[in-house]
């Protein structure tokens, strides 16, 4: 059979950080984690963790065993770097097994550190993250001339794709969703080696079959149904007749293997059934390699400009597809509004419609805070070395990953010395520079995409982003004070205050002027209802709560005293509401996601 099948697994956990402890920047960060016990059932084993992240990381051991049992290079996997780094710190044994798996058995696919929506970031930050992603994955991808790439939530624009392609220094295969493609009407193109023009660079792109991928992830087909849907339902008669290999590409989160006790065995049964039907497993990146080097026969023009496709800017793999106006996905899930008409959307949460206006405000605010940190870091480096160029500072920040992820790089005996890190800005006080590198990476860490994935704002992931961003702002404020730049420190305090007064952004950003998809989504009533606390021991919304929680520990005493007039620090608790997609876990506290301090 000429049909091949590819499966990509995306592994990502945002962590359960509730507070980042002080640090100099010379060593990896230390932080306190949420204590909210939960367990997952896998086959007949109960996997327990002190929080969701810990439980899933433990469960990755079982997922790894499944992947190891599959034919070599039949699947590809990406591990978000901070997730893999947490595995190293929490479960070194599982980390070693994953490293061995990524080294030879599965196709290792680089992905962006900290899982931000890349096009929502400034270009400078995108360039840093793109370069760090390939540096981090160097031990797994080596000098391969073709490499895959997984953009967080597959959100892509032509500019972002070009940034990735330039950072790769080799040919890139973007793993996407078929609903992101525009004008896929070339005869026989759907399962072929398609190209994508990323600025001046030419890349490749495969779009997953979302119906089949979701059928597995959400259990809408049994194993036999999954086998038949691929082996019989996706046949390309022309290519079969001409003897031309073609690829059915599938993808899901790695957690899809842990969705219920039987899921691992369902997946293995599906893959075995396809093997028996003659559908060979070949990951998408390897498929492109074989097409390019002649091991697989090509259609005329395949892998060239003749098979060029367009991809919708800001499209993704998991948007609110029911609200699409063009039959394709977008980024409204993370933006809170539809780009095509600028209308704020609503979703159902706990049986009630809730405005997603908060996502737009959250996105806008974090762009401001990112910029404040980025400009502050660059400003302080150039204060010491005025001739330092944009490229010099960026090179330093890329190299700082060797300090932030030090144990990972040391595992592979890669350079982590301060002389190597400081070389691009030689002459700047290393004590100051390393502290600034730490602050910049805290800002990046605070840009996880997951808070805006869910309909409710009051979640552990929102709390984590805000707590980490608050610490970055406070630490940068303290650096400015030490440097005698009080006015700039005051500016950062005002930026931090925007987190504390998050509800006020409704008026500061003129959010009431925006149109709603039904009209009511941008009313004052809808805004405040969407921010309501879901925990019984604090009246504050989760953004205020998290900023206050960090400030209670990190702010100077005189600032805390002043804020105590406006805010009750007793309400600064780390408890949050539960994430809807995590309710299949057996939580000790089913009412809310607590933090047992």
């Amino acid at each position: 059979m000429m049909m091949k099948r590819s499966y990509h697994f995306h592994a990502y956990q945002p962590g359960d950080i509730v507070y980042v402890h002080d640090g100099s920047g010379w060593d990896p960060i230390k932080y306190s984690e949420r204590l909210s016990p939960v367990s997952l059932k896998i086959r007949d084993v109960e996997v327990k963790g002190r929080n969701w992240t810990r439980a899933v990381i433990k469960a990755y051991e079982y997922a790894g065993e499944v992947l190891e049992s599959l034919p070599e290079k039949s699947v590809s996997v990406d591990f978000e770097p901070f997730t893999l780094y947490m595995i190293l710190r929490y479960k070194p044994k599982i980390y070693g097994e994953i490293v061995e798996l990524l080294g030879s058995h599965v196709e290792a696919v680089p992905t962006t550190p900290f899982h931000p929506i890349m096009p929502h970031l400034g270009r400078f930050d995108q360039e840093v993250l793109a370069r760090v992603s390939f540096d981090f994955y160097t031990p797994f991808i080596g000098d391969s001339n073709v490499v895959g790439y997984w953009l967080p939530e597959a959100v892509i624009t032509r500019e972002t794709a070009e940034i990735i392609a330039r950072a790769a220094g080799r040919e890139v295969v973007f793993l996407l969703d078929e609903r992101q493609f525009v004008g896929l009407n070339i005869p026989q193109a759907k399962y072929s080696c398609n190209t994508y023009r990323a600025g001046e660079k030419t890349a490749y792109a495969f779009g997953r079959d979302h119906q089949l991928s979701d059928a597995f992830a959400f259990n809408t087909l049994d194993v036999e149904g999954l086998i038949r849907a691929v082996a019989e339902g996706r046949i390309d008669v022309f290519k079969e007749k001409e003897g031309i290999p073609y690829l059915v590409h599938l993808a899901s989160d790695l957690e899809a293997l842990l969705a219920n006790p039987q899921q691992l065995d369902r997946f293995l049964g599906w893959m075995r059934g396809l093997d028996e039907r003659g559908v060979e497993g070949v990951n998408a990146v390897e498929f492109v390699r074989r097409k390019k080097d002649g091991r697989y026969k090509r259609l005329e023009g395949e892998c060239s400009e003749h098979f060029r496709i367009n991809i919708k800017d800001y499209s993704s793999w998991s948007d609110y597809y029911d609200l699409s106006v063009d039959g394709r996905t977008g980024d409204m899930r993370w933006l809170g509004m539809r780009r095509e008409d600028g209308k704020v959307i609503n979703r159902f949460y706990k049986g009630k419609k809730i405005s997603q206006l908060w996502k737009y405000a959250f996105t806008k605010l974090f762009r401001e805070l990112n910029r404040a940190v980025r400009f502050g870091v660059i400003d302080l480096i150039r204060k010491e070395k005025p001739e330092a160029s944009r490229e010099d500072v960026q090179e330093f920040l890329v190299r700082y990953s060797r300090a932030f992820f030090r144990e990972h790089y040391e595992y592979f005996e890669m350079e982590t010395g301060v002389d190597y890190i400081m070389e691009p800005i030689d002459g700047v006080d290393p004590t100051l520079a390393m502290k600034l590198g730490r602050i910049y990476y805290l800002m990046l860490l605070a840009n996880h995409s997951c808070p805006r994935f869910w309909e409710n704002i009051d979640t552990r992931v929102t709390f984590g982003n805000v707590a980490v961003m608050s610490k970055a702002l406070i630490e940068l404020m303290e650096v400015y004070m030490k440097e005698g730049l009080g006015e700039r420190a005051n500016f950062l305090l005002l930026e931090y205050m925007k987190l504390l007064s998050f509800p006020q952004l409704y008026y500061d950003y003129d959010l009431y002027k925006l149109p709603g998809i039904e009209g009511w989504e941008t009313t004052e009533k809808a805004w405040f209802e969407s921010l309501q606390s879901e925990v019984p021991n604090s009246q504050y919304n989760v953004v205020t709560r998290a900023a206050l929680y960090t400030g209670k520990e990190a702010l100077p005493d005189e600032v805390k005293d002043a804020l105590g007039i406006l805010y009750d620090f007793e309400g600064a608790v780390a408890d949050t509401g539960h994430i809807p997609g995590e309710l299949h876990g057996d939580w000790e506290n089913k009412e809310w996601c607590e933090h047992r301090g």
Side-chain angles (χ1 to χ4, degrees), residues 431-459:
T431 301
L432 173 64
M434 296 296 278
K435 179 71 171 182
L436 293 174
R438 165 192 161 90
I439 291 167
Y440 182 77
Y441 271 68
L442 286 179
M443 177 272 283
L444 295 177
L445 177 63
N447 276 271
H448 287 299
S449 67
C450 40
R452 293 174 292 143
F453 182 90
W454 304 105
E455 290 71 27
N456 57 322
I457 189 173
D458 200 338
T459 62

Side-chain angles (χ1 to χ4, degrees), residues 178-221:
E178 63 186 351
R179 295 169 295 177
Q180 297 179 253
F181 294 165
V182 178
L184 190 60
N185 54 10
I186 307 167
Q188 314 302 329
K190 183 172 181 180
Y191 305 127
S192 302
C193 177
N194 299 301
T195 60
Y196 170 56
R197 193 71 179 163
E200 296 178 357
K201 297 285 187 179
T202 296
Y204 303 94
F206 265 101
R208 70 162 188 159
D209 186 311
H210 77 279
Q211 290 180 329
L212 284 177
S213 302
D214 289 350
F216 168 69
F218 303 118
N219 294 289
T220 57
L221 285 175

